[in-house]
Amino acid sequence: SGPAEPHHQPAKDADLLELEQRVSRLLGLKFAVKAQGKESGTVSIHYDSLDQLDELIRRLTKGAPAAAD
């Protein structure tokens, strides 16, 4: 049997692409959205170093109460 055909994702609409670009610029990191149906999906934020990850976590938790251990 031959190789399986690759699954092609539907093209992202212009609004979704603009959102990805805007958040990527805001964070200074690659940001991607993968829609799964009409109202759900996943977001990915790609970092290249632990310093970038630390800064991302700091910005995401700014003003949030500290988690109990």
Side-chain angles (χ1 to χ4, degrees):
S1 75
E5 288 199 22
H7 295 279
H8 294 287
Q9 296 293 327
K12 293 181 181 179
D13 68 28
D15 290 336
L16 192 54
L17 289 171
E18 171 59 28
L19 174 69
E20 287 180 339
Q21 292 170 356
R22 190 174 30 177
V23 175
S24 290
R25 284 191 304 268
L26 177 68
L27 295 176
L29 301 169
K30 182 179 177 188
F31 177 84
V33 177
K34 182 178 179 184
Q36 297 170 329
K38 285 188 151 236
E39 295 186 14
S40 65
T42 59
V43 296
S44 300
I45 304 172
H46 301 268
Y47 60 90
D48 293 320
S49 70
L50 290 179
D51 287 340
Q52 286 181 337
L53 177 60
D54 286 343
E55 175 62 12
L56 175 63
I57 298 302
R58 185 192 67 77
R59 291 173 70 180
L60 288 174
T61 59
K62 185 175 181 181
D69 288 331

